Amino acid sequence: MMPSYFFAHGAPSIVLEDNEYTQLLKKFKENTPKPKAIVLFSAHWEEAAQTIGAAETFETIYDFGGFQEELYRMTYPAQTDRSLAGQIQSLFAKQGIQSVIDEKRGLDHGAWAVLKLLYPEADIPVVALSVNRYLTNEQQYQIGKTLTELREQDVLIIGSGGTVHNLRRLNWRSEGIDPWAEQFDSWLQSKLEAWDTEALFNYRELAPYAEEAVPTNEHFIPLLLAMGTGDANRQAKLLHRSYQYGNLSLSCWQFH
């Protein structure tokens, strides 16, 4: 069964950087069987209804400003898998989750910046999925769980977001790690490794510095979605964690 993953996408410029985290992403395909297709939830695509992105060839969305000019020339012209998109819609329907298919929207930087590091050739079909910040954490987990069987079909499921993501607290000149960010991520690690869903669903009340780490939840949701796909075996493994600008976490979780 193909593992599923959560990748922090950091700042859009991550695709240009060379560090331990980007090296992990660049070497990912060397240690992972080539998937038949990729299904990716991005924190930067929010919709009230669960939306399935299945553009014939995805355009590249530059949903950011003030970064290096090189980023605005990058493209990731992945094609989709229409039959997989239809299968996902059927899986959702069986669980009473209403969904719609969008054949026009491109890939935002939460999707293409990660994918360009993982599979720069853009030669694997992609189906993009939106997130909804107004669902409960348990509902997010259940959406991921709905897609579990895709892992048996060599489909790679990715959640792209960030566990500590507070742009107002970034320290642009910092070389150290803010203790509050590390404490939140350490709490999160202990609950993920124990597969303590009750605590995770109530992280805002239970986790230290949750308000600082997760001021808005759209970047945290993809972690719960990816975790839900691993409900059958309930094995979580931290593959990497580092920080930029004092507290912007770059983490990778694998779910079996």
Side-chain angles (χ1 to χ4, degrees):
M1 182 182 287
M2 178 77 71
S4 51
Y5 295 85
F6 169 81
F7 292 108
H9 58 248
S13 54
I14 191 172
V15 74
L16 300 175
E17 295 167 3
D18 184 22
N19 52 47
E20 282 189 22
Y21 185 59
T22 60
Q23 285 298 319
L24 173 78
L25 271 61
K26 290 174 183 177
K27 295 177 181 176
F28 178 82
K29 63 181 180 179
E30 298 174 10
N31 306 310
T32 306
K34 186 173 181 178
K36 182 184 76 172
I38 299 170
V39 172
L40 188 146
F41 291 92
S42 171
H44 288 276
W45 187 15
E46 294 189 61
E47 298 285 354
Q50 180 62 61
T51 309
I52 302 165
E56 183 175 353
T57 300
F58 289 98
E59 294 183 358
T60 305
I61 301 174
Y62 307 103
D63 51 336
F64 49 83
F67 287 88
Q68 300 97 317
E69 283 298 317
E70 185 179 351
L71 288 174
Y72 302 92
R73 295 192 294 271
M74 287 187 172
T75 60
Y76 195 82
Q79 296 185 327
T80 199
D81 183 329
R82 293 287 176 84
S83 62
L84 178 58
Q87 182 184 359
I88 290 170
Q89 190 168 40
S90 296
L91 290 172
F92 284 149
K94 289 178 183 176
Q95 297 300 318
I97 301 168
Q98 292 186 335
S99 64
V100 295
I101 292 181
D102 183 326
E103 298 181 350
K104 295 182 179 180
R105 188 183 189 275
L107 296 176
D108 57 68
H109 81 270
W112 68 259
V114 169
L115 292 175
K116 199 166 184 68
L117 289 167
L118 295 173
Y119 298 102
E121 299 85 3
D123 59 348
I124 300 172
V126 174
V127 176
L129 292 173
S130 67
V131 302
N132 180 356
R133 71 169 71 192
Y134 298 106
L135 301 178
T136 67
N137 293 325
E138 185 172 5
Q139 286 174 316
Q140 311 288 2
Y141 183 92
Q142 292 299 326
I143 288 173
K145 184 177 177 180
T146 300
L147 303 181
T148 300
E149 70 180 64
L150 298 180
R151 296 173 51 205
E152 299 173 356
Q153 303 166 25
D154 297 326
V155 173
L156 174 62
I157 303 175
I158 295 172
S160 173
T163 57
V164 180
H165 188 275
N166 188 337
L167 301 185
R168 293 186 177 185
R169 295 293 299 270
L170 296 185
N171 297 320
W172 296 98
R173 294 184 178 88
S174 174
E175 295 182 3
I177 302 170
D178 291 343
W180 62 266
E182 201 163 29
Q183 287 183 45
F184 176 81
D185 266 341
S186 293
W187 180 92
L188 188 62
Q189 179 178 352
S190 69
K191 304 308 177 186
L192 284 166
E193 290 176 345
W195 212 274
D196 187 347
T197 54
E198 183 176 354
L200 288 164
F201 295 161
N202 295 285
Y203 75 89
R204 192 164 290 281
E205 292 77 33
L206 299 177
Y209 302 104
E211 290 292 336
E212 289 86 351
V214 190
T216 57
N217 67 342
E218 75 287 341
H219 277 74
F220 193 84
I221 289 168
L223 176 70
L224 296 172
L225 292 162
M227 183 187 185
T229 69
D231 184 78
N233 294 327
R234 299 193 165 199
Q235 295 179 12
K237 183 178 181 181
L238 180 64
L239 300 184
H240 178 89
R241 183 166 74 222
S242 58
Y243 297 86
Q244 293 182 307
Y245 315 120
N247 54 62
L248 183 64
S249 64
L250 298 178
S251 55
C252 173
W253 279 94
Q254 179 189 70
F255 300 104
H256 281 287

